[in-house]
Amino acid sequence: MESYIAMVSSDDFFVTQCQRNTQVYITRIYQLFLGRDPQPDELRFWVNQYQSGRVDRPSLVGQFCQVNNI
């Protein structure tokens, strides 16, 4: 799981898979880990978390996995 989180957290993934777009990035995390798109309030929450500058991508993915029991 750690290597998968590292891959999803990487600059390469953010640039190539998400076009450096935070909303696309969060949506991709939902699709990869939960097999669905986020609800609007879920998307808003995680985008705000990331854009606040309080967490980096690895921390964000780790928190996401923890909250969703992954």
Side-chain angles (χ1 to χ4, degrees):
M1 180 59 82
E2 289 178 26
S3 62
Y4 196 66
I5 290 172
M7 185 269 304
V8 172
S9 305
S10 71
D11 290 338
D12 184 55
F13 184 85
F14 188 66
V15 171
T16 61
Q17 299 293 316
C18 307
Q19 300 84 41
R20 300 179 191 208
N21 182 306
T22 304
Q23 289 185 347
V24 172
Y25 181 63
I26 300 301
T27 299
R28 291 290 295 141
I29 291 171
Y30 267 85
Q31 292 167 340
L32 291 168
F33 287 97
L34 300 179
R36 66 176 178 86
D37 288 345
Q39 297 295 315
D41 58 328
E42 294 170 326
L43 181 62
R44 239 183 336 273
F45 174 80
W46 290 107
V47 167
N48 287 338
Q49 286 290 103
Y50 182 70
Q51 290 180 337
S52 73
R54 289 178 269 170
V55 295
D56 57 7
R57 282 193 306 275
S59 298
L60 179 90
V61 174
Q63 288 176 14
F64 178 86
C65 289
Q66 185 176 22
V67 166
N68 290 287
N69 297 316
I70 297 171

